[in-house]
Amino acid sequence: MLRRKNQLIDKQIGIKIRQIRKSWGISQIELAERIGISFQQVQKYEKGSTRISASRLMQISEALNVKITVFFEETEKIPIVSDLSPGYIPGEAPFENIQSPDKEEMTMLKLFRKIKNRKVREGIIKQLQGLIELENQK
Amino acid sequence: MLRRKNQLIDKQIGIKIRQIRKSWGISQIELAERIGISFQQVQKYEKGSTRISASRLMQISEALNVKITVFFEETEKIPIVSDLSPGYIPGEAPFENIQSPDKEEMTMLKLFRKIKNRKVREGIIKQLQGLIELENQK
DNA sequence: AAGTCTAACAACTGATAGTTGTGTTTTATT
DNA sequence: AATAAAACACAACTATCAGTTGTTAGACTT
């Protein structure tokens, strides 16, 4: 039948999804849970092996907290191959103020998330600020 | 089963399609031919009775000579208040319980990035690990 | 009033979105 | 360096639905 030349589009969108997901440091499972489907299905979206409905894409954009338009804009700029390299920094960050955390930053973020106590969290931030000041003024 | 709450989105997109199509003064048949499907299927898109894939929407946007984002623009701005989220705020994370990096985490991450010294970075991580262990074993 | 153009709707079917199950790789921990 | 576990890949199955065809009806020419 009509052989999809549009797989391409789904593929590009899929790559975008993966990029943004990773930039948030969440797993396929996590994303899947947020939108209420199996993580295997998320895989298919990312691989571009199934079509993504507009509504689904909307859900995903909400789950990843980005505007839905990012999945469509400048799709050709996306570097096709290199996604999982640890220090990967996309030509432009998927959204303005964020760049993909590298591996160390990832572990840091994950650890930080494990801390539930607000006071402790604030304390850590304070400490970080202190450290930076110290580093700067020498 | 999962009853689509997202019909809504397809519906809104459908309305947009119809609006734009009519604004060009072309028939369903014309549009259908341009993208190579039956006009009845175009009907369904416009009615929102079937889901529109992202790739299809791309085709439609090309056929109607508009940027694909227009189908979402208004849709996005129009708060989908009616569906579930009571305190929904467009710019913010829809899932408060689970974390996409919240504001605090973001500032933390940014601070962490400012620290160049590897040793210091590792030290901080070690410290966090310690804190967590401590928290867990009480 | 017959022909053409447009659109709505129903019924059918092949394709596929989404599932579950299992295996593999990567990351974290001791 | 061994082990556990999290994260991912892939295959096979199934229920759903995207897309088809067929019919009907208004609207507008001629």
Side-chain angles (χ1 to χ4, degrees):
Chain A
M1 224 213 149
L2 257 179
R3 207 57 257 146
R4 318 235 89 56
K5 76 166 189 184
N6 293 351
Q7 276 177 324
L8 175 87
I9 290 162
D10 294 303
K11 200 134 190 194
Q12 287 176 332
I13 291 175
I15 292 170
K16 270 266 176 182
I17 292 174
R18 162 162 296 205
Q19 282 180 345
I20 297 171
R21 177 178 62 77
K22 293 219 161 183
S23 78
W24 284 110
I26 66 176
S27 65
Q28 290 176 341
I29 293 172
E30 170 79 18
L31 176 56
E33 278 172 359
R34 290 189 189 184
I35 63 184
I37 61 173
S38 67
F39 73 93
Q40 291 95 331
Q41 187 56 33
V42 171
Q43 273 180 26
K44 291 189 188 175
Y45 289 145
E46 291 186 354
K47 288 268 183 246
S49 64
T50 71
R51 295 195 216 136
I52 307 175
S53 70
S55 46
R56 190 61 96 201
L57 199 57
M58 189 67 123
Q59 283 186 297
I60 292 173
S61 76
E62 281 171 3
L64 294 176
N65 200 31
V66 293
K67 287 192 299 198
I68 195 170
T69 54
V70 305
F71 296 111
F72 296 104
E73 56 200 26
E74 61 183 31
T75 33
E76 47 200 58
K77 250 190 188 167
I78 298 168
I80 302 246
V81 197
S82 62
D83 56 337
L84 46 88
S85 57
Y88 171 66
I89 296 168
E92 274 188 350
F95 20 86
E96 305 88 305
N97 43 357
I98 289 181
Q99 85 188 149
S100 296
D102 65 22
K103 209 154 134 209
E104 195 181 34
E105 285 167 355
M106 258 334 295
T107 60
M108 177 66 191
L109 185 56
K110 280 178 184 167
L111 286 173
F112 188 71
R113 279 178 180 162
K114 281 189 182 153
I115 296 173
K116 23 198 168 142
N117 186 316
R118 283 202 56 79
K119 283 273 158 69
V120 179
R121 288 166 71 105
E122 281 168 13
I124 290 163
I125 288 179
K126 280 264 157 60
Q127 192 195 351
L128 279 180
Q129 288 169 330
L131 272 169
I132 288 162
E133 241 175 74
L134 207 75
E135 234 183 10
N136 286 343
Q137 73 188 185
K138 68 159 180 239
Chain B
M1 225 208 155
L2 259 177
R3 209 56 257 147
R4 304 242 94 54
K5 66 159 189 195
N6 292 351
Q7 278 176 324
L8 171 91
I9 289 161
D10 294 302
K11 204 136 188 188
Q12 286 177 332
I13 291 174
I15 291 170
K16 270 269 174 181
I17 292 173
R18 162 162 297 203
Q19 281 178 347
I20 297 171
R21 177 177 63 78
K22 293 218 162 184
S23 77
W24 283 107
I26 67 175
S27 65
Q28 291 175 340
I29 293 173
E30 170 76 20
L31 175 55
E33 278 172 359
R34 290 190 190 182
I35 62 183
I37 61 174
S38 66
F39 73 92
Q40 292 95 331
Q41 188 55 33
V42 171
Q43 273 180 26
K44 291 191 188 173
Y45 289 145
E46 292 186 353
K47 287 276 182 229
S49 64
T50 71
R51 294 187 290 198
I52 308 175
S53 70
S55 46
R56 188 62 93 203
L57 199 57
M58 191 68 122
Q59 283 185 299
I60 292 173
S61 75
E62 282 167 5
L64 293 175
N65 200 32
V66 292
K67 286 197 302 210
I68 195 169
T69 54
V70 306
F71 297 112
F72 298 103
E73 276 169 5
E74 209 176 345
T75 309
E76 203 177 46
K77 293 276 190 311
I78 293 170
I80 317 125
V81 185
S82 47
D83 79 352
L84 72 132
S85 41
Y88 174 69
I89 299 167
E92 292 188 2
F95 303 91
E96 289 123 38
N97 42 347
I98 316 167
Q99 57 274 65
S100 47
D102 60 20
K103 211 138 132 224
E104 193 182 35
E105 285 167 356
M106 246 356 275
T107 61
M108 189 285 292
L109 193 56
K110 279 178 186 166
L111 287 172
F112 186 70
R113 278 182 184 146
K114 283 195 182 145
I115 298 174
K116 304 298 176 204
N117 188 314
R118 284 203 52 78
K119 284 269 159 70
V120 178
R121 287 167 71 106
E122 281 168 15
I124 291 165
I125 288 179
K126 281 262 154 60
Q127 190 195 351
L128 272 187
Q129 287 169 330
L131 269 170
I132 289 162
E133 235 176 80
L134 207 76
E135 234 181 11
N136 286 343
Q137 74 188 187
K138 66 161 180 230

